[in-house]
C-alpha cells in the first residue's frame, strides 16, 4: 500500500479535498440519472458503490475526524446501504500509512529521540493503520511491543473537520435547528479526548486493572516511559481481529465463551464503573490462539452521569415500558419528548420509542439471550427500514434525546453486532457477581 509523506492539516487544504470528492459524487449522480432515462428500472447499487468508493478515497487521505465519522457510520449496519458499510469499515484497519521519514520525525518531536534510539528493533512499516493513528511492532528488553503513533495534525483539525462533515450528517440524520449543536459538541469532545494519548494511557490502566476480575478476557500492559501525548506503547497482543475470527469455523461453546466475556466486560463497566469503552468495533478486539478475548484500544471512554444512567436503564425494564405514565416521564427525562412538542408529535414519538425500546431492550429482560437469533435481527432490520422510509419522520425534527444517547447507543449497537458475529448466547445477569 502506498505510504503518505504528508497529511493535509490546514482548513482550506482539507476542505478542498472534500470539495473534489463532492464533484465526483455529483458526476456519479449525473451518470446514474442518464442511465435511468434508458432503463427506468435501474436500482441504486452501482450509484451507492461509486459514491462509497469516492467518499472513502477522499477521507482516507485526510485521516482524523472525517475518517473517524466514516468508521462510526460503518457500525450502523441497518442505517446505510451495504456498499457504504463495507467501504467505510475499511477505515477500521486499512488506510494508507505514514511514510518512514514522517514516523521518525513524529518520534523526534514527541519523545526527543528516533525510534531506533529507543527500541531494540522497530518495524519501518506500520502493521496497522486506521483513522487517528497507526501501529508499529517493536522490541525492547525481550518484550514485544505495539507502538501507536498519532497522525500529525489530527488533533488540531477536529473542529474544522466536523464543520465540513456537519451538513452531510444533518441531512443524513434529519437534524434541524440549533439544538443539533449538542450532538456535534459531544462528538468533538470525544474526538479531542481520543487524540490525547496521555489521557488514553491513564484510562487504559484504570479500566484494565478494574476489569481484570472478568474471566476469558485479556488486556495489554501499558508503558508510560515509552509514551507521550502523541505516542503510546503497550504489549504486543497476538490474535485474530474479531471480524476475521467470526468468519472461521468455531464451535458454539467458543462463541458463547467469548460472547459472555464481551457482555460481562461491557456490563461491568456500565453498571460498576459508570464509564464504558464506547468504540466496540471489531478492530478493537482480538481472539487469541487459546480463544481468549483481547481488548486493545481504550481511546474512546464515555462517562455515564447519574442523570442519564438512572432513567436510561429504568426504561429498559419491561414493566416501565408498559406503564404509560412512567414511560412518558422517562421520555421527558431523557429529552426524547420536549415541552414544545405538539400533540401529534407527542403521540407519534411516544409510539415510535415504545416499539423501538421494546425490541432493543429485550435482551435485558431475559435470563439468557441468543444474539445469534435471526428473528431478533430481522425485526431490527424491518424496523429500521420501515422508519427510514417514513415521510412523517422526515417532516419532524430529528433532534431527539440527551446528548449521552449518541455514544451509549453506539456502544450497544456495536456490542450487539459483535455478539451477533459470535452467534453468542449469554447469561444476562452473570456480570453482577463481579460487581457484588
Amino acid at each position: 500500500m502506498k505510504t503518505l509523506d504528508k497529511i493535509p492539516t490546514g482548513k482550506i487544504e482539507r476542505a478542498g479535498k472534500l470539495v473534489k470528492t463532492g464533484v465526483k459524487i455529483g458526476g456519479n449522480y449525473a451518470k446514474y440519472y442518464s442511465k435511468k432515462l434508458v432503463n427506468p428500472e435501474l436500482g441504486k447499487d452501482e450509484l451507492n458503490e461509486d459514491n462509497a468508493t469516492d467518499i472513502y478515497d477522499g477521507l482516507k487521505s485526510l485521516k482524523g475526524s472525517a475518517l473517524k465519522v466514516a468508521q462510526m457510520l460503518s457500525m450502523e449496519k441497518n442505517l446505510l446501504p451495504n456498499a457504504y458499510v463495507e467501504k467505510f469499515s475499511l477505515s477500521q484497519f486499512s488506510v494508507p500509512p505514514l511514510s518512514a521519514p514522517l514516523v521518525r520525525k513524529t518520534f523526534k518531536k514527541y519523545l526527543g529521540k528516533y525510534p531506533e534510539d529507543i527500541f531494540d528493533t522497530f518495524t519501518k512499516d506500520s502493521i496497522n493503520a486506521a483513522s487517528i493513528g497507526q501501529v508499529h511492532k517493536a522490541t525492547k528488553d525481550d518484550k514485544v511491543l505495539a507502538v501507536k503513533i498519532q497522525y500529525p495534525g489530527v488533533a488540531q483539525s477536529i473542529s474544522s473537520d466536523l464543520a465540513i462533515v456537519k451538513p452531510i450528517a444533518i441531512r443524513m440524520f434529519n437534524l434541524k435547528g440549533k439544538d443539533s449543536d449538542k450532538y456535534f459538541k459531544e462528538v468533538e469532545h470525544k474526538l479531542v479526548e481520543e487524540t490525547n494519548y496521555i489521557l488514553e494511557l491513564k484510562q487504559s490502566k484504570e479500566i484494565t486493572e478494574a476489569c481484570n476480575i472478568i474471566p476469558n478476557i485479556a488486556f495489554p500492559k501499558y508503558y508510560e516511559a515509552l509514551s507521550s501525548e502523541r505516542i503510546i506503547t503497550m504489549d504486543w497482543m497476538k490474535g485474530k481481529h474479531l471480524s476475521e475470527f467470526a468468519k472461521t469455523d468455531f464451535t458454539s461453546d467458543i462463541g458463547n465463551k467469548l460472547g459472555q466475556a464481551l457482555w460481562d466486560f461491557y456490563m461491568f463497566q456500565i453498571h460498576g464503573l459508570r464509564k464504558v469503552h464506547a468504540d466496540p468495533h471489531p478492530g478493537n478486539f482480538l481472539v487469541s490462539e487459546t480463544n481468549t478475548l483481547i481488548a486493545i484500544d481504550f481511546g474512546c471512554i464515555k462517562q455515564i452521569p447519574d442523570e442519564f444512567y438512572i432513567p436510561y436503564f429504568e426504561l429498559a425494564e419491561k414493566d416501565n415500558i408498559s406503564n404509560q405514565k412512567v414511560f412518558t416521564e422517562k421520555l421527558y427525562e431523557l429529552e426524547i419528548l420536549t415541552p414544545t412538542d405538539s400533540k401529534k408529535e407527542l403521540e407519534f414519538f411516544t409510539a415510535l420509542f415504545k416499539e423501538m425500546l421494546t425490541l432493543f431492550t429485550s435482551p435485558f429482560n431475559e435470563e439468557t439471550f441468543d444474539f445469534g437469533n435471526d428473528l431478533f435481527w430481522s425485526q431490527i432490520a424491518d424496523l429500521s427500514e420501515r422508519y427510514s422510509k417514513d415521510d412523517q419522520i422526515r417532516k419532524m425534527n430529528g433532534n431527539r434525546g440527551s446528548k449521552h444517547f449518541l455514544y451509549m447507543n453506539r456502544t450497544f449497537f456495536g456490542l450487539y453486532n459483535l455478539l451477533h458475529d459470535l452467534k453468542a448466547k449469554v447469561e444476562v445477569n452473570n456480570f453482577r457477581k463481579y460487581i457484588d
Side-chain angles (χ1 to χ4, degrees), residues 164-175:
I164 294 167
V165 170
K166 187 175 180 179
I168 300 166
I170 283 173
R171 284 196 299 274
M172 184 174 284
F173 298 108
N174 193 36
L175 303 175

Side-chain angles (χ1 to χ4, degrees), residues 282-305:
N284 283 340
F285 292 94
L286 305 175
V287 178
S288 75
E289 289 179 354
T290 57
N291 297 316
T292 295
L293 191 70
I294 303 167
I296 56 172
D297 192 303
F298 292 88
C300 183
I301 301 297
K302 171 64 184 169
Q303 299 279 344
I304 313 169

Side-chain angles (χ1 to χ4, degrees), residues 56 71 74-75 88-95 128-131 241 243 281-283:
Y56 176 68
Q71 184 192 89
S74 76
M75 292 163 62
F88 289 178
S89 67
L90 293 174
S91 66
Q92 293 170 9
F93 23 61
S94 182
V95 293
N128 219 323
S131 53
H241 279 117
S243 54
H281 70 70

